[in-house]
Amino acid sequence: MIAIPQQPQKMTVEEYLEWEPQQDVRYEYFYGEVFAMTGGTIPHNDIALNLYTALRPHLRSRGCRVNVSDVKVQANFQNQYYYPDVIVSCDPQDINARKFIQNPKLLVEVLSPSTSAKDRGEKFTYYLTIPSLQEYILIDSEKISVERYCRGEGRMWLYYRYTAGETIAFSSIEFEFPIELLYEGVVLETEV
């Protein structure tokens, strides 16, 4: 999904958290500005749901939660609130959260031409500052391709790329699966 700026609206975090649940669409928040979230494509949605469906039974027994699209994450000390496509948190504070996730372990964005720049740029920059985050995953919605950023020593992040026929490993939650699981039933751009 892509965020579209709503101008000239500026508001505090408190105003945003009170105002946003009353709106018909979701809004991301970035340093006082709000951005309406537009709808995604069917492949985008199918990929996120395929991952959610695989993760949910695995995480339930580990005391973790997994959410899709409609749950926001707080990034960078209350200055940003985003809606990742999939969020995993195992933090006790987040297990019973009702408004947003503060301590995600794994964040996933499904890329499309309209969202790729923001997911690789602004969101990438701020997601990596979340102390609890162990992995950031980018899934292409137009071809079989997954990129995984995994926290290493200190401020280092390790990069892994996966393509057709490979097995993806999310080390932070001890979960492995074939990349094809993400694309099951998904009509890719090259197939149309």
Side-chain angles (χ1 to χ4, degrees), residues 1-145:
M1 284 181 260
I2 187 165
I4 299 171
Q6 295 296 111
Q7 300 299 338
Q9 200 160 6
K10 277 264 202 186
M11 59 180 69
T12 66
V13 169
E14 295 77 17
E15 290 169 334
Y16 163 73
L17 292 174
E18 185 177 324
W19 170 85
E20 199 246 357
Q22 301 169 21
Q23 306 310 305
D24 292 334
V25 297
R26 294 174 296 136
Y27 289 82
E28 292 187 331
Y29 179 86
F30 184 76
Y31 286 99
E33 293 185 72
V34 294
F35 298 85
M37 300 301 297
T38 63
T41 64
I42 292 173
H44 183 146
N45 184 266
D46 289 346
I47 290 167
L49 288 176
N50 284 346
L51 180 57
Y52 171 83
T53 302
L55 288 176
R56 190 160 188 252
H58 175 76
L59 294 170
R60 185 181 299 154
S61 65
R62 297 172 180 267
C64 300
R65 71 180 298 155
V66 58
N67 295 97
V68 292
S69 310
D70 288 332
V71 174
K72 62 181 159 262
V73 66
Q74 179 188 64
N76 198 21
F77 311 106
Q78 299 184 350
N79 292 315
Q80 293 105 16
Y81 290 84
Y82 296 114
Y83 283 95
D85 291 307
V86 178
I87 305 172
V88 172
S89 179
C90 301
D91 188 279
Q93 180 178 337
D94 288 336
I95 299 304
N96 297 313
R98 297 192 40 83
K99 295 184 179 182
F100 52 83
I101 301 298
Q102 291 180 294
N103 302 296
K105 183 176 265 198
L106 183 141
L107 293 174
V108 178
E109 293 287 2
V110 179
L111 303 174
S112 62
S114 62
T115 65
S116 184
K118 185 169 186 170
D119 292 338
R120 293 177 183 284
E122 175 188 309
K123 286 185 177 185
F124 178 81
T125 299
Y126 290 107
Y127 283 165
L128 298 190
T129 66
I130 300 172
S132 62
L133 188 67
Q134 297 299 306
E135 292 179 281
Y136 181 47
I137 313 301
L138 298 169
I139 304 173
D140 197 308
S141 68
E142 296 192 323
K143 64 181 187 281
I144 297 178
S145 176

